[in-house]
Amino acid sequence: MKYKILELLKQNTAYISGEEIGKTLNITRSAVWKNISKLKEIGYNIDSVTNKGYMLNSSSDILNEYEIKCALKTKNIGKDFQFLKETDSTNEEAKRLSQSQTKNGFLIVAENQTKGKGRLGNSWSHSYKANLSFSIVLKPNFLPNDITSLTLITGMAICKAFRKLGISAFLKWPNDIIINGKKAVGILTEISCEIERINYVIVGIGININEKNFSEELKEKATSLFIETGKEFKRIDILNSVLLEFEEIYGSFTEHGSFEPFLKEYESLCLNIGKKIKAISKQGTIYGTAAGVSDKGELIIKSDDNNISIVSGEVSVRLQDGRYI
Ligand code: BTN
């Protein structure tokens, strides 16, 4: 019942009386009051004014099953989903579920992660109620080798979604999202496969949204959408924007079966290209200039002696003041 009342409140931009809610839903005014209290308890910001009634304050930023269901406008990605108040890591949860039951496009969203995982064995810290952590399970037909391209197009989707919201985001190869020289999003792609076949891929995404302060350790490198724009965003809206963009680009990627059609656009969003970089890869540390990206999604580095391509690794871009980000 509380969500029926919520729906009514969402449809009305003015106050709506307890009597009117009661009549519409065929419940007593005291039942209305009890359910409004429940909604307040789970975080909805509802104004109650004597003789006027109730009004939902549109600034409520709430993640729950109901909000996700209402907000997602995608066709397939996230149509089946699980919302968790807390988990160790949405990627780990996705793996556990994928042993048996998940479909292509299954989404896991958590309000809190206790052991969020980052790339290269790092951890990913998550601020309760300020940020967004989710994982998408994919069951693609392409070969395990194409996974590099998938991580790149995921970054592109997020970058494009942010730009549509007026945020000046760039990609740092392979898929960090950078705003004003600092990282706002991390993507961790994990795969379960055989030599020629992918069982499933998990694309885990962490977005710093309304975080206001980072620890001393992270301050230099990390940022949030709030810090860069001065605006608070509803996490549910960001989730919807990112998933819509991802659905489109992923659909087109699986249709084409290659990264080649995305190359130009990727390069235009990527701040490494043409810049001095330092790459720590299997070949060791390479200093050079990022010359471009190959049609397999590898970063092409032009070092002083020859051309070298790398598939994965840690790449830093040299800023004008000599610092690397
Ligand atoms: C990085 O190191 O940049 C990648 C960070 C990825 C973090 C996300 S948050 C959701 C998903 N679950 C995890 O444990 N990690 C990813």
Side-chain angles (χ1 to χ4, degrees):
M1 180 54 68
K2 63 178 183 285
Y3 288 120
K4 286 202 172 137
I5 295 181
L6 184 63
E7 239 168 84
L8 270 185
L9 293 175
K10 282 191 177 193
Q11 284 158 14
N12 282 275
T13 45
Y15 281 91
I16 169 165
S17 70
E19 193 181 347
E20 200 178 331
I21 298 175
K23 262 192 200 152
T24 316
L25 299 174
N26 209 9
I27 53 171
T28 62
R29 278 174 68 176
S30 121
V32 172
W33 181 83
K34 274 188 196 144
N35 281 290
I36 293 270
S37 303
K38 281 187 195 160
L39 288 169
K40 285 183 179 174
E41 261 165 43
I42 58 173
Y44 289 97
N45 193 348
I46 299 169
D47 291 339
S48 328
V49 175
T50 325
N51 296 331
K52 275 178 140 183
Y54 305 100
M55 187 168 69
L56 179 68
N57 191 327
S58 63
S59 66
S60 306
D61 173 31
I62 293 177
L63 269 186
N64 60 32
E65 215 168 304
Y66 172 83
E67 291 292 334
I68 296 173
K69 209 173 200 153
C70 295
L72 289 193
K73 302 288 179 269
T74 46
K75 289 196 186 78
N76 299 308
I77 304 285
K79 277 294 131 189
D80 287 319
F81 72 89
Q82 187 172 83
F83 169 76
L84 298 161
K85 281 196 174 149
E86 183 167 289
T87 185
D88 50 354
S89 143
T90 52
N91 272 31
E92 287 303 311
E93 186 66 27
K95 269 186 234 167
R96 288 190 288 268
L97 292 174
S98 296
Q99 305 303 331
S100 53
Q101 59 181 54
T102 58
K103 286 194 200 138
N104 181 47
F106 191 84
L107 171 73
I108 293 153
V109 185
E111 177 75 89
N112 195 26
Q113 287 192 126
T114 52
K115 276 191 194 160
K117 301 187 332 175
R119 288 176 60 228
L120 308 168
N122 294 324
S123 60
W124 178 260
S125 74
H126 174 117
S127 268
Y128 188 56
K129 295 202 169 166
N131 300 329
L132 193 56
S133 297
F134 60 98
S135 300
I136 310 162
V137 180
L138 300 170
K139 305 207 166 164
N141 286 326
F142 52 72
L143 295 172
N145 277 348
D146 292 325
I147 211 72
T148 310
S149 309
L150 175 64
T151 68
L152 269 57
I153 64 145
T154 305
M156 273 177 82
I158 300 171
C159 205
K160 288 175 73 174
F162 283 4
R163 285 181 172 216
K164 282 189 181 163
L165 296 168
I167 302 165
S168 177
F170 287 89
L171 288 159
K172 181 165 84 77
W173 185 92
N175 60 8
D176 284 345
I177 309 292
I178 304 290
I179 309 173
N180 288 331
K182 293 183 178 179
K183 176 166 163 173
V185 179
I187 303 168
L188 176 67
T189 307
E190 298 188 83
I191 177 170
S192 156
C193 66
E194 289 151 37
I195 291 170
E196 297 261 297
R197 197 176 78 106
I198 292 178
N199 300 322
Y200 58 83
V201 182
I202 292 164
V203 180
I205 301 174
I207 310 181
N208 299 332
I209 300 185
N210 294 321
E211 182 83 61
K212 308 221 162 42
N213 287 303
F214 285 93
S215 64
E216 281 306 314
E217 193 193 345
L218 289 175
K219 229 177 214 161
E220 280 280 294
K221 292 189 165 179
T223 193
S224 69
L225 303 191
F226 174 81
I227 293 172
E228 296 309 326
T229 63
K231 276 199 298 195
E232 297 232 8
F233 290 84
K234 284 192 190 175
R235 291 168 297 160
I236 199 76
D237 293 342
I238 300 289
L239 180 68
N240 181 47
S241 304
V242 165
L243 291 182
L244 276 174
E245 209 64 51
F246 178 78
E247 181 162 82
E248 191 180 325
I249 203 165
Y250 178 70
S252 161
F253 174 64
T254 46
E255 208 173 284
H256 286 100
S258 134
F259 183 63
E260 212 267 319
F262 305 94
L263 198 51
K264 282 249 141 31
E265 190 175 13
Y266 180 89
E267 286 186 343
S268 74
L269 297 170
C270 182
L271 53 73
N272 307 66
I273 309 301
K275 299 267 171 45
K276 290 273 180 208
I277 56 154
K278 176 173 94 178
I280 301 163
S281 77
K282 284 182 206 131
Q283 294 108 304
T285 302
I286 307 160
Y287 287 90
T289 302
V293 174
S294 77
D295 59 6
K296 292 191 186 66
E298 303 149 317
L299 185 67
I300 303 164
I301 303 173
K302 201 166 181 204
S303 62
D304 291 342
D305 36 6
N306 54 1
N307 279 348
I308 310 160
S309 313
I310 58 162
V311 182
S312 64
E314 196 59 11
V315 172
S316 311
V317 180
R318 193 170 190 273
L319 300 175
Q320 273 175 343
D321 62 11
R323 278 184 306 128
Y324 281 94
I325 59 162

